[in-house]
């Protein structure tokens, strides 16, 4: 990559940075909520919430990798002095309530969303890198709790989660995915979290919905999503359908997972703006409801589910500004048949920068729609590129990229203008 192209990429990256504290679709919300523990009374919340988290120890199933730096203990943040990498996974498990929501036709467990969240050692940056589910990789072998060996092979990235989820255990699915990510990138995964359908709906409803600017009418029988163009406050069911949307009878939906990543990142960005505008950090009742919704819907490693650990981590991130959080996607290009994607040389640069704990200078390039679709994803308005590149940003009226904390839901909806 030339110096000029790196500089251009850096400019695009700055434009794609998002507001908020640790921002990720699932696990980072726990960190954001934990900041409130310091304000509203940590012990009171612990008494209400502790025990709600579903934590599992799958360390015996995860292959060891040498950390890039050694931790230096400081008061508060147990991982102070070390960069942290958290793997976030969205499961489409169809058992129980999830089957009612997503249907029961899918066998086993799969994940539609995988994000590597990198927190810098100096706690001044957070980078969230989406891994396309159709990225062609060497899926790692893995072992389940009962000793069963599952052989990996070359294919779609999300095969790893499916291999580990053969027995319906999210911790086993996470372990197999962690092994594949570590072997692929050389990045040690310190923590992990898996969220399911029902949990995502509950989290959205707990914050009163997510304001989104929908710039085209969307009609999708498969996703059960029918919504007119314009400003909408999406409830949990609508937000989940939008996040999972891949096919539609109308609405400029190409069927591409890359396009879906762009929509998911915009949904996440709006979620963070909504959280920043709410009084979650000073309202004991509301933060308790929010954290309970997350805790009851997530499976995570034991340390990430420890409220004392989260308190220290959140406190160490209190100085983050709106320019300190970045979304990116693994640099990719289509395979010759246009059915899948493979990583480009820039992906190796991205992994090296994460290992070295330096700011990202590369991102995915090109159109986030399918190669066989000549249009662009213009179902939502976005202020800047949140996925592949600035050229992949959905068309429509842009919202204010310089938004700050304190925006109300009405403020966010008022920014939507459909052309």
């Amino acid at each position: 990559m030339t110096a000029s192209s790196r500089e251009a990429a850096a400019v695009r990256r700055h434009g794609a940075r998002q507001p908020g504290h640790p921002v990720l679709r699932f696990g980072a919300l726990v960190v954001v909520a934990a900041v409130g523990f310091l304000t509203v009374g940590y012990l009171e919340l612990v008494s209400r919430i502790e025990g709600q988290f579903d934590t599992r120890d799958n360390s015996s199933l995860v292959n060891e990798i040498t950390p890039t730096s050694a931790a230096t203990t400081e008061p508060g943040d147990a991982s102070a002095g070390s960069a942290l990498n958290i793997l976030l996974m969205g499961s489409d498990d169809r058992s129980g309530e999830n089957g009612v929501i997503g249907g029961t036709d899918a066998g086993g467990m799969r994940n539609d969303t995988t994000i590597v969240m990198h927190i810098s050692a100096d706690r001044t940056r957070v980078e969230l890198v989406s891994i396309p589910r159709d990225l062609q990789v060497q899926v790692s072998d893995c072992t389940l709790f009962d000793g069963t060996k599952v052989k990996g092979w070359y294919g779609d990235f999300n095969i790893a989660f499916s291999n580990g989820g053969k027995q319906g255990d999210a911790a086993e699915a996470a372990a197999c995915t962690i092994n594949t990510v570590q072997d692929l990138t050389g990045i040690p995964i310190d923590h992990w979290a898996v969220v399911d359908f029902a949990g995502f709906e509950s989290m959205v409803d707990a914050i009163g919905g997510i304001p989104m600017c929908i710039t085209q009418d969307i009609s999708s029988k498969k996703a059960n999503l029918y919504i007119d163009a314009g400003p909408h406050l999406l409830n949990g069911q609508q937000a989940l359908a939008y996040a999972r949307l891949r096919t539609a009878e109308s609405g400029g939906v190409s069927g591409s997972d890359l396009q879906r990543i762009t929509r998911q990142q915009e949904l996440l960005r709006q979620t963070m703006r909504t959280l920043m505008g709410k009084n979650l950090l000073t309202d004991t009742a509301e933060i308790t409801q929010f954290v309970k919704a997350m805790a009851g819907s997530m499976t995570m490693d034991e340390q990430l589910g420890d409220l004392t650990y989260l308190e220290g981590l959140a406190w160490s991130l209190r100085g983050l500004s709106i320019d300190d959080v970045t979304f990116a996607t693994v640099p990719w290009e289509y395979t010759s048949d246009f059915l899948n994607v493979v990583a480009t040389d820039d992906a190796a640069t991205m992994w090296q920068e994460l290992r070295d704990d330096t700011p990202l200078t590369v991102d995915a390039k090109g159109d986030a729609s399918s190669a066989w679709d000549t249009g662009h994803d213009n179902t939502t308005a976005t202020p800047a590129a949140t996925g592949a590149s600035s050229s992949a940003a959905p068309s429509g009226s842009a919202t204010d990229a310089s938004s700050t904390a304190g925006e109300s839901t009405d403020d966010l909806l008022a920014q939507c203008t459909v052309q």
Side-chain angles (χ1 to χ4, degrees):
M1 191 176 191
T2 65
S4 60
S5 62
R6 283 180 180 274
E7 182 178 355
V11 172
R12 290 197 304 272
R13 302 298 309 119
H14 182 76
R17 289 179 175 180
Q18 309 301 326
H21 281 282
V23 224
L24 40 81
R25 185 175 169 190
F26 319 124
L29 299 182
V30 177
V31 179
V32 175
V35 176
F37 299 164
L38 304 173
T39 307
V40 300
Y42 175 63
L43 293 179
E44 179 181 355
L45 284 172
V46 166
S47 66
R48 298 186 186 190
I49 298 169
E50 202 160 40
Q52 295 287 326
F53 288 108
D54 178 13
T55 63
R56 298 290 302 281
D57 180 6
N58 66 357
S59 58
S60 63
L61 307 182
V62 175
N63 301 328
E64 292 187 5
I65 185 169
T66 303
T68 55
S69 61
T72 57
T73 302
E74 293 180 2
D77 185 355
S79 300
S82 293
L84 289 176
N85 298 294
I86 304 172
L87 191 66
L88 306 158
M89 295 152 281
S91 171
D92 71 349
D93 173 30
R94 306 299 176 88
S95 61
E97 186 179 353
N98 291 309
V100 176
I101 297 171
T104 56
D105 57 326
M109 299 176 70
R110 296 173 298 183
N111 65 322
D112 289 339
T113 303
T114 304
I115 297 174
V116 177
M117 174 189 179
H118 177 83
I119 302 174
S120 65
D122 61 8
R123 302 297 187 258
T124 63
R125 303 186 329 274
V126 175
E127 284 129 357
L128 298 107
V129 177
S130 295
I131 302 178
R133 57 172 289 172
D134 298 329
L135 184 71
Q136 300 301 285
V137 303
Q138 180 59 48
V139 177
S140 302
D141 300 343
C142 61
T143 305
L144 308 184
F145 284 120
D146 64 3
T148 300
K149 305 289 185 180
V150 183
K151 185 72 175 176
W153 63 90
Y154 187 82
D156 293 352
F157 169 77
N158 72 338
I159 290 172
F161 194 91
S162 180
N163 280 353
K166 289 182 180 297
Q167 300 182 142
D169 191 314
E172 292 176 329
C176 289
T177 307
I178 291 170
N179 287 339
T180 296
V181 170
Q182 291 187 156
D183 290 344
L184 174 68
T185 68
I187 297 170
I189 299 300
D190 303 292
H191 301 296
W192 59 271
V194 178
V195 69
D196 59 25
F197 286 167
F200 181 72
E201 285 194 6
S202 297
M203 285 188 285
V204 172
D205 288 336
I207 61 174
I210 301 174
M212 292 289 291
C213 183
I214 309 297
T215 61
Q216 283 193 19
D217 296 347
I218 299 176
S219 177
S220 174
K221 181 178 180 180
K222 186 174 182 179
N224 191 27
L225 182 64
Y226 303 92
I227 192 166
D228 296 332
H232 289 273
L233 184 63
L234 302 184
N235 62 27
Q237 183 276 325
Q238 293 171 319
L240 177 62
Y242 186 78
R244 299 180 61 224
L245 183 65
R246 192 165 179 175
T247 62
E249 290 72 54
S250 63
V253 180
S254 70
S256 167
D257 180 54
L258 283 305
Q259 189 192 59
R260 178 165 59 179
I261 286 175
T262 302
R263 286 191 294 270
Q264 290 175 343
Q265 291 184 344
E266 172 64 6
L267 187 68
L268 173 57
R269 186 184 72 87
Q270 289 297 96
T271 302
M272 293 303 101
R273 294 180 69 188
T274 301
L275 284 169
M276 290 177 67
K278 287 184 174 291
N279 198 30
L280 287 177
L281 301 186
T282 57
D283 189 318
T284 303
E286 190 167 12
I287 192 175
T288 299
Q289 180 184 8
F290 180 55
V291 176
K292 277 188 173 181
M294 291 187 296
S297 64
M298 298 172 64
T299 304
M300 65 196 76
D301 67 89
E302 292 182 317
Q303 189 173 34
L304 192 60
D306 181 89
L307 296 180
T308 301
Y309 177 80
L310 286 174
E311 178 193 23
L313 179 58
W315 183 250
S316 72
L317 292 165
R318 66 193 182 279
L320 288 181
S321 73
I322 61 174
D323 292 324
D324 298 326
V325 181
T326 302
F327 285 114
T329 302
V330 176
W332 55 269
E333 63 185 10
Y334 282 105
T335 54
S336 58
D337 57 10
F338 297 108
L339 295 178
N340 297 295
V341 296
V342 293
T344 66
D345 291 342
D346 279 347
T349 300
M350 174 178 281
W351 303 139
Q352 186 64 54
E353 289 172 344
L354 291 175
R355 290 194 298 267
D356 293 343
D357 192 25
T358 58
L360 294 181
T361 63
V362 295
D363 197 354
K365 300 182 181 70
D367 189 359
S369 67
S370 297
W372 55 82
D373 175 54
T374 57
H376 294 264
D377 174 20
N378 55 358
T379 57
T380 58
T382 181
T386 56
S389 71
S390 56
S391 64
S395 63
S397 173
T399 51
D400 182 7
S402 62
S403 60
T404 58
E407 292 175 306
S408 68
T409 296
D410 288 342
D411 292 333
L412 296 176
L413 290 173
Q415 295 171 20
C416 176
T417 303
V418 179
Q419 297 177 345

